[in-house]
Amino acid sequence: MRLIFLLLATTLAADAAPNDPGGAAIDFLEKVRNRKLDLKPGGDTALAASTVEGKKQRIARRLERMARDLGSDPLEVAAVKEDENYAAVLVRKSGGLDPSRMQVFPVALIKRDSEWAVAPVPASFENADAGYVLALRRRLKILENWMLREQVVDLEKLREQSQQRLRETIRASLTEAELRGLTAEQVAQRFMRACADHDLPKVLGLIGGLAAELPSDWPLRLKAANQGLVVAPAAARPWRLLTAPEVPRILVHLEQETKSALISIACLDPSGAGAKSQTPRIELIHLELSKSSDGLWQIDPPAAFLQEASVDSDDDAEETLDADLLDLFPQKWSEAHPPKPEPSAEKIQETFVKTLRSGNLGALLRLSKLHGPPQPARESASKAAGLWWELHDPTTARHAMPLAFKPGKTNAAAVFQLLSAKDPDRFAPLLVYFERSAAGWFWTPEPAEATRREFAAWADTETARWTGEWKNQLMPDSAVAEIPAAAAPTEKEAEELVNQWLAATRQGDFEAALRLSARLDEADSQTITLRNLGFEIIGSRKGNAAVSGSYRGETWTAVGVTLEQDGHSTYPFYPVIQTANGPRILVESQLFAAGKRGRDFLNKTIFERLEKFTSVALASDLRKLYATYQAGLADSATKAAIR
């Protein structure tokens, strides 16, 4: 008696897969990796319509685990076995240079109308819409067994080949002959440079990857270096100290014998010294070097570099033991990066502003007074790093705006407003000092007490004066919207303006954004504009924004934007109005697509405020544009739900 196994067929999507099984398998795994796989019957797989809900959930969980295993490494087809309208494919994930991350994924496929569709369960035709009789079931079992057997064989082959590929990759950056000709100090310098450049092959060559006999802990070294330089670009400590672009580092000590050496690297992490302290201070990394049996120097990373989770060290104890090495940082740094003083007080203040705002802490250190007694110089370096981090911490956005400057014969002082996106309308004065030396003018992060006293009265007077005036200083280019307004800007003008605005807020550039804005001639307009700008900067730095369209009325041209943030979308609506300085965004009247009760209330408040301080006609014109925008979003959402 013939047993018939029948699963209900489903209709495949027209664009489900390429025409070859290998391409279809890669396409399927990419969708799994990006969490964009449609697992419904008729979607991106050959899932049978008869599959019960519990089984669908188990399949979905299995695919989620597969997505984590896939990671971000490139995929390639390793082997394909076809049997008429059925196929089995093996797909390799090479895992970069780390054999432990190499994997082989088996994928089963079914051909329908010249298109290949993937069975939803890896290495199996289970729950696929493949109606078949017992004889066909035997053929499919052969394909399934082939996948499971060859998966193991191919993975072993892949790992066997990996060591040779690894050596060839390393030799493209560093050869045995070149390494044999280096001194221990040169090896240390190259290691530091390779870490800073995230040059994994060169780092691997310098930690033993070229030795005739690999170090006994080589798998740990390889995995740790790969994790610290490639997998996690913002690596945890201690790799961060050697790889982060914002960390200045310098070799401060070397002891060398015939076959061994010890180096000490001083690092200044502006983000703070580990979990115990948020105050930047200089930290030391001690690394041992040894010679392999074939005479090649190699760095031997200590246990902290090989552990998956960083372990906090006793910072205070280490600072006491290594104080003499820590004190060498300013001197060694200045020898390798000569100071750049300025010829006058006015010039040092101007250069200081530009350098502080730049993304280069090293340039700021070259402008700082780090000469003199070692411990005060070390404290000055830490203070410089702390101030730089206040402006460049990626979790927030701050901006230093100069307010007042007083030069003297040998010293000078300046008052700044330190703007924060989290509290943009709060006055936060910052005092900085400059000092003249025989070489020229420097910024003094840690000024002498006599210098503070010299400028104390002036600083108090200026701080009091600017408490209520700093907003006018910040916003001279922020145009006041003219009422009644001129004709609406063109769609092109408005979209170009909003794109410039999005770029400025993404960079946290308060002044550039305010130059693109307008405000009403009302007492609270400056405060509302700054608060909205702070909100915009925080949102832009956490998400991706793109213009979706523009809407022109009589006096307004409003621009819709889609902001993707943490897996969610919001829809800002920027009102652009003509001013004496050209088109500008009225930031205080920015709207968002409604839906939530709180957002509806805020939008309503904005329209009421426009009616009160401009005109009913002006507010009505913007209302019409907003209604059109809202309706378009609702229509798009409905169409997407239907699809």
Side-chain angles (χ1 to χ4, degrees):
M1 178 180 179
R2 244 170 38 162
L3 298 176
I4 300 177
F5 299 85
L6 178 65
L7 296 174
L8 297 178
T10 61
T11 303
L12 295 176
D15 57 348
N19 290 327
D20 67 283
I26 294 284
D27 182 64
F28 164 74
L29 292 175
E30 289 291 354
K31 288 179 179 177
V32 170
R33 168 163 40 203
N34 295 314
R35 274 82 172 178
K36 292 182 178 180
L37 185 75
D38 181 1
L39 195 55
K40 300 185 188 73
D44 293 326
T45 72
L47 182 71
S50 58
T51 306
V52 298
E53 189 60 33
K55 181 64 174 179
K56 290 179 185 176
Q57 293 175 1
R58 288 194 293 276
I59 292 172
R61 287 195 294 269
R62 187 167 178 178
L63 293 176
E64 176 60 31
R65 290 194 296 272
M66 179 185 280
R68 293 194 293 270
D69 290 340
L70 284 164
S72 60
D73 296 300
L75 303 174
E76 62 180 23
V77 175
V80 178
K81 185 177 179 65
E82 292 188 51
D83 184 351
E84 295 182 355
N85 290 331
Y86 302 91
V89 177
L90 298 180
V91 177
R92 286 177 170 181
K93 183 190 81 166
S94 62
L97 299 178
D98 184 359
S100 68
R101 294 175 55 233
M102 296 175 177
Q103 285 186 273
V104 176
F105 299 92
V107 181
L109 300 99
I110 301 167
K111 197 171 189 179
R112 289 287 186 270
D113 299 328
S114 77
E115 297 284 350
W116 287 98
V118 177
V121 179
S124 173
F125 291 91
E126 180 185 356
N127 290 101
D129 60 345
Y132 49 85
V133 294
L134 185 59
L136 183 55
R137 183 179 180 88
R138 293 194 186 102
R139 290 164 54 197
L140 297 183
K141 191 65 177 176
I142 291 172
L143 287 176
E144 290 176 342
N145 290 338
W146 178 85
M147 281 187 283
L148 295 175
R149 182 180 66 253
E150 292 300 315
Q151 179 187 21
V152 176
V153 172
D154 193 64
L155 182 57
E156 185 63 27
K157 185 190 305 180
L158 188 62
R159 288 178 175 168
E160 286 176 359
Q161 297 168 349
S162 67
Q163 186 55 45
Q164 184 58 34
R165 289 205 312 271
L166 175 61
R167 285 185 181 271
E168 291 173 359
T169 303
I170 293 174
R171 287 184 184 123
S173 296
L174 178 70
T175 65
E176 288 93 336
E178 185 180 5
L179 181 55
R180 189 170 281 107
L182 298 179
T183 65
E185 181 174 0
Q186 289 170 329
V187 168
Q189 295 288 3
R190 291 215 181 184
F191 179 69
M192 291 169 59
R193 183 71 262 164
C195 286
D197 292 341
H198 289 238
D199 188 340
L200 179 61
K202 188 168 288 184
V203 167
L204 294 177
L206 294 167
I207 62 173
L210 288 176
E213 183 180 345
L214 292 173
S216 59
D217 61 350
W218 177 250
L220 281 177
R221 296 189 186 201
L222 174 56
K223 183 176 181 180
N226 189 63
Q227 182 71 24
L229 273 71
V230 178
V231 178
R237 289 165 175 270
W239 282 105
R240 168 180 165 74
L241 295 176
L242 293 177
T243 60
E246 66 270 20
V247 176
R249 57 190 74 87
I250 195 76
L251 183 66
V252 294
H253 181 67
L254 168 68
E255 295 178 22
Q256 182 175 346
E257 297 180 353
T258 305
K259 292 187 177 182
S260 64
L262 173 68
I263 62 171
S264 299
I265 303 169
C267 310
L268 178 55
D269 185 352
S271 68
K276 295 182 180 180
S277 171
Q278 291 304 309
T279 302
R281 59 178 171 179
I282 299 161
E283 304 170 67
L284 286 173
I285 292 175
H286 302 292
L287 296 173
E288 294 182 356
L289 288 79
S290 62
K291 276 194 174 181
S292 63
S293 58
D294 51 336
L296 300 180
W297 279 112
Q298 63 186 32
I299 303 280
D300 296 319
F305 278 84
L306 305 180
Q307 296 168 347
E308 291 192 13
S310 61
V311 178
D312 285 337
S313 60
D314 188 345
D315 295 325
D316 294 331
E318 288 186 3
E319 186 162 346
T320 301
L321 289 171
D322 296 322
D324 57 333
L325 295 180
L326 294 169
D327 285 345
L328 287 173
F329 176 87
Q331 173 194 333
K332 295 288 187 180
W333 175 266
S334 297
E335 289 172 358
H337 308 86
K340 283 190 171 183
E342 293 291 353
S344 67
E346 290 76 13
K347 186 62 178 177
I348 187 67
Q349 196 255 7
E350 177 188 336
T351 306
F352 170 78
V353 173
K354 293 178 182 177
T355 308
L356 182 61
R357 291 178 180 177
S358 78
N360 190 336
L361 174 55
L364 187 64
L365 291 178
R366 297 180 74 178
L367 205 65
S368 309
K369 181 187 174 184
L370 301 183
H371 48 279
Q375 188 167 355
R378 192 205 325 168
E379 291 174 358
S380 289
S382 294
K383 287 286 182 68
L387 180 57
W388 182 89
W389 186 250
E390 280 197 74
L391 269 71
H392 298 281
D393 181 350
T395 63
T396 183
R398 292 188 177 91
H399 180 79
M401 181 185 71
L403 295 177
F405 177 65
K406 183 175 178 60
K409 290 183 178 180
T410 58
N411 297 293
V415 177
F416 285 75
Q417 156 66 345
L418 197 59
L419 275 160
S420 168
K422 292 183 178 179
D423 196 3
D425 62 329
R426 182 175 70 89
F427 182 49
L430 169 71
L431 276 104
V432 298
Y433 300 89
F434 307 97
E435 180 181 307
R436 192 183 73 182
S437 71
W441 284 83
F442 288 93
W443 169 47
T444 54
E446 187 66 17
E449 188 57 37
T451 302
R452 294 180 187 273
R453 288 197 301 269
E454 178 184 346
F455 292 97
W458 173 84
D460 289 343
T461 300
E462 290 299 317
T463 300
R465 178 166 77 89
W466 286 106
T467 299
E469 291 293 322
W470 68 271
K471 292 178 185 177
N472 292 330
Q473 177 78 355
L474 175 66
M475 306 174 72
D477 297 324
S478 180
V480 175
E482 297 179 356
I483 309 300
T490 66
E491 288 93 337
K492 182 181 179 181
E493 289 175 324
E495 290 189 12
E496 287 179 352
L497 180 70
V498 170
N499 276 318
Q500 292 173 26
W501 168 272
L502 295 175
T505 54
R506 191 177 301 114
Q507 294 166 10
D509 192 334
F510 283 82
E511 290 178 283
L514 288 171
R515 285 194 294 270
L516 304 171
S517 70
R519 54 189 170 82
L520 299 176
D521 190 13
E522 298 301 325
D524 58 352
S525 285
Q526 288 182 329
T527 296
I528 295 174
T529 297
L530 284 173
R531 287 177 181 171
N532 284 3
L533 174 55
F535 175 80
E536 285 281 301
I537 287 175
I538 292 171
S540 292
R541 289 163 71 91
K542 290 182 178 179
N544 296 311
V547 169
S548 59
S550 54
Y551 306 78
R552 190 181 188 194
E554 294 181 8
T555 52
W556 303 96
T557 301
V559 178
V561 167
T562 300
L563 176 62
E564 303 287 346
Q565 185 179 2
D566 298 328
H568 301 286
S569 299
T570 54
Y571 304 95
F573 196 59
Y574 294 91
V576 179
I577 196 167
Q578 197 66 257
T579 73
N581 296 338
R584 294 290 185 270
I585 300 170
L586 193 66
V587 182
E588 62 193 282
S589 298
Q590 180 197 355
L591 302 160
F592 278 80
K596 295 182 179 179
R597 183 177 178 182
R599 191 64 253 176
D600 284 332
F601 175 78
L602 290 175
N603 288 343
K604 180 173 178 288
T605 301
I606 288 169
F607 284 123
E608 290 175 349
R609 189 169 185 274
L610 276 176
E611 289 180 353
K612 179 179 179 181
F613 294 118
T614 62
S615 68
V616 173
L618 202 68
S620 177
D621 188 32
L622 185 58
R623 279 183 191 274
K624 291 176 184 177
L625 299 180
Y626 174 72
T628 303
Y629 178 60
Q630 185 86 331
L633 289 174
D635 184 52
S636 297
T638 301
K639 290 179 180 177
I642 293 173
R643 288 196 297 268

